[in-house]
Amino acid sequence: LCGDAAIAETGRFGRALELDGRADYVNVPDAASLELGGGDFTIEAWINPAATDGERCIVSKEAVQDLSYILQIRDGRLVLLVSSDGKG
């Protein structure tokens, strides 16, 4: 957990992450299971944003010269961007 992200004892279903939108994030080590292109792939997130203006990242996987992706809220819309070369 980075920033002042915290694990809440009571979430909707068990525990939950608390991110206040001010530089909080979870950093997960790279793993083959996070790569696109190896078969079916699901990105899932339960979010409760306080605001939906601008660009607000939900999930991203960055890779140099490889497949990368980002699921975000952009000006009130849910957007999934996929790059085949890591450049966006």
Side-chain angles (χ1 to χ4, degrees):
L1 298 177
C2 302
D4 61 353
I7 298 175
E9 290 301 316
T10 55
R12 186 168 180 114
F13 298 100
R15 294 168 42 173
L17 291 174
E18 289 185 30
L19 310 169
D20 65 11
R22 295 183 187 99
D24 299 346
Y25 62 96
V26 176
N27 190 20
V28 178
D30 194 20
S33 62
L34 300 174
E35 303 292 336
L36 294 176
D40 293 343
F41 195 87
T42 300
I43 299 173
E44 182 177 0
W46 286 49
I47 61 170
N48 184 17
T52 59
D53 59 321
E55 292 184 9
R56 299 175 183 274
C57 177
I58 300 167
V59 175
S60 70
K61 169 79 167 81
E62 298 176 7
V64 178
Q65 298 179 350
D66 203 354
L67 287 172
S68 60
Y69 53 87
I70 182 170
L71 177 63
Q72 66 182 196
I73 296 173
R74 182 183 289 176
D75 296 323
R77 296 181 318 203
L78 187 62
V79 177
L80 174 65
L81 303 169
V82 178
S83 171
S84 62
D85 60 7
K87 295 181 182 175

